[in-house]
Amino acid sequence: MPFYVGLYFPIRGEVDTRPWLEWCKKERFFTCFPKILDCETDVDSKVAPVSKCKTSNQIIRYFRANAFSELVTGKFGLLEPDLTEIEQNSKQVVPNLILVPGVAFNSECLRLGYGAGFFDRFIADFASQGRRENAMFLGLSFNFQILDASVFEPHDLPLDAVISEDKTFLKSASNNATVGP
């Protein structure tokens, strides 16, 4: 069974995932990238459950891509898989390890994004489909992005772990308590 690592193309000074891409190639893991889909035009039952589109007009799904050169400028100016290429050469995949960018994180593995809620909905979707325990959501952070817990809101869902240059935080199964330096 293939192991998929969900990468992202970094923007706004986010942690660069190019070293992760090289590591995946070395370890022979498959890589995939998120693509923003419009519920009204891009989504069918094979790509995303229609129920998720009732809460938002756009969702993310992951598609196989082996290099940043296979990405094109998509919504919000983000680089994402070229769906026309995917239709010919690949398909939607469910990643086993999802690297998640963010504006800020905390020691309880909460993540603050840019406000559109794409990753929060994606994580919630995983949970609703019973897939949450089969995937790991890993926040990539710089030390300066680790903040006090008070800036996070109830809709900010916890990741499984957050790593920075010299810190690692793991979410506990019972209460989101952390382990780390």
Side-chain angles (χ1 to χ4, degrees), residues 71-88:
L71 306 178
V72 297
T73 302
K75 294 182 177 58
F76 306 114
L78 301 173
L79 290 182
E80 55 186 30
D82 184 356
L83 196 54
T84 57
E85 288 288 320
I86 292 163
E87 291 168 345
Q88 297 171 11

Side-chain angles (χ1 to χ4, degrees), residues 1-7 17-33 63-67 70 93-99 136 138:
M1 181 178 229
F3 188 91
Y4 285 96
V5 177
L7 303 173
T17 60
R18 281 178 277 225
W20 285 86
L21 179 63
E22 294 308 314
W23 175 77
C24 288
K25 288 178 183 179
K26 180 181 167 196
E27 297 297 323
R28 298 190 174 156
F29 293 141
F30 294 99
T31 55
C32 54
F33 290 82
F63 294 89
R64 185 169 175 184
N66 298 312
E70 295 178 30
V93 297
V94 178
N96 305 91
L97 171 63
I98 300 100
L99 304 183
M136 180 175 188
L138 176 62

Side-chain angles (χ1 to χ4, degrees), residues 37 46-48 60-64 86 90-94 122 131:
L37 301 176
K46 296 175 189 167
V47 175
I60 59 171
R61 290 297 179 260
Y62 280 81
F63 294 89
R64 185 169 175 184
I86 292 163
S90 190
K91 60 182 180 180
Q92 179 185 351
V93 297
V94 178
F122 187 74
R131 295 183 188 165

Side-chain angles (χ1 to χ4, degrees), residues 8 10-20 100-107 110-112 114 138-148 152 159 161-169:
Y8 62 85
I11 61 167
R12 302 178 186 161
E14 294 170 340
V15 174
D16 192 353
T17 60
R18 281 178 277 225
W20 285 86
V100 183
V103 174
F105 301 87
N106 73 4
S107 62
L110 292 175
R111 170 192 169 271
L112 186 64
Y114 293 103
L138 176 62
L140 300 184
S141 173
F142 294 108
N143 286 334
F144 72 85
Q145 291 177 285
I146 307 295
L147 303 179
D148 184 288
F152 298 89
L159 305 175
V162 173
I163 60 172
S164 67
E165 298 96 330
D166 58 7
K167 294 183 173 116
T168 301
F169 300 100

